Amino acid sequence: MNATPTADTQGAEEAEGRTGGCLCGRIRFTTRGPAVFAHTCACEHCQKLGGTPLMWWVGFETVTWTGESEPTWYETFEGEAKRGFCPTCGSRVAAIDSNIPEIGINVTALDDTSGTDLVPIHASFHENAVRWLHAVPETEHNAAG
């Protein structure tokens, strides 16, 4: 996820039991806890892993894998960060960073992405973003709070 949330940036909405998964449906999950530090990331790793100008991340206290498969993990920074994807369809679904207690979820892997607590409040590596994409305004609080 590439950014550490602070108490001031954590979402106010409790979102218990959000569900999501990969494109082919082999990986399914349920989250527990509030959505924390929704943000976009335009680092070179997210761009290459996602095949897109940026990825949209949010953290959750707990993620339970409920499908027939769990993600395959790719270590993007040895001993520090890894990204989870479906080995069948290639969907990027999750991130684990050693310095962040929450499990990162690629917001587009959620079944419902409409929550106000999922609105990005930060843009990591915005200097690396494509010039034609409008920047996420930096805020000190979640759009929901």
Side-chain angles (χ1 to χ4, degrees), residues 102-119:
E102 293 83 15
I103 296 172
I105 289 294
N106 187 332
V107 176
T108 58
L110 292 170
D111 294 333
D112 180 2
T113 62
S114 65
T116 58
D117 57 343
L118 300 176
V119 173

Side-chain angles (χ1 to χ4, degrees), residues 3-142:
T4 304
T6 64
D8 291 341
T9 61
Q10 293 184 8
E13 285 186 25
E14 284 287 326
E16 296 293 333
R18 279 193 163 106
T19 59
C22 67
L23 181 61
C24 73
R26 288 189 62 204
I27 295 175
R28 295 290 304 158
F29 61 83
T30 301
T31 68
R32 191 181 78 206
V36 176
F37 198 63
H39 70 284
T40 62
C41 184
C43 76
E44 290 181 12
H45 286 112
C46 281
Q47 289 177 339
K48 290 195 182 286
L49 286 168
T52 182
L54 56 83
M55 291 182 82
W56 180 18
W57 296 102
V58 68
F60 290 99
E61 175 185 316
T62 304
V63 174
T64 303
W65 306 108
T66 59
E68 63 184 74
S69 178
E70 291 190 13
T72 296
W73 296 94
Y74 175 75
E75 200 164 14
T76 52
F77 298 99
E78 190 172 339
E80 293 181 30
K82 55 187 177 179
R83 305 295 179 250
F85 66 95
C86 176
T88 302
C89 67
S91 296
R92 280 36 181 167
V93 294
I96 296 174
D97 291 283
S98 62
N99 62 339
I100 298 174
E102 293 83 15
I103 296 172
I105 289 294
N106 187 332
V107 176
T108 58
L110 292 170
D111 294 333
D112 180 2
T113 62
S114 65
T116 58
D117 57 343
L118 300 176
V119 173
I121 60 169
H122 180 78
S124 299
F125 297 92
H126 60 86
E127 69 281 354
N128 197 47
V130 294
R131 299 200 187 285
W132 49 262
L133 189 61
H134 294 286
V136 170
E138 300 292 323
T139 62
E140 290 299 316
H141 58 83
N142 192 298

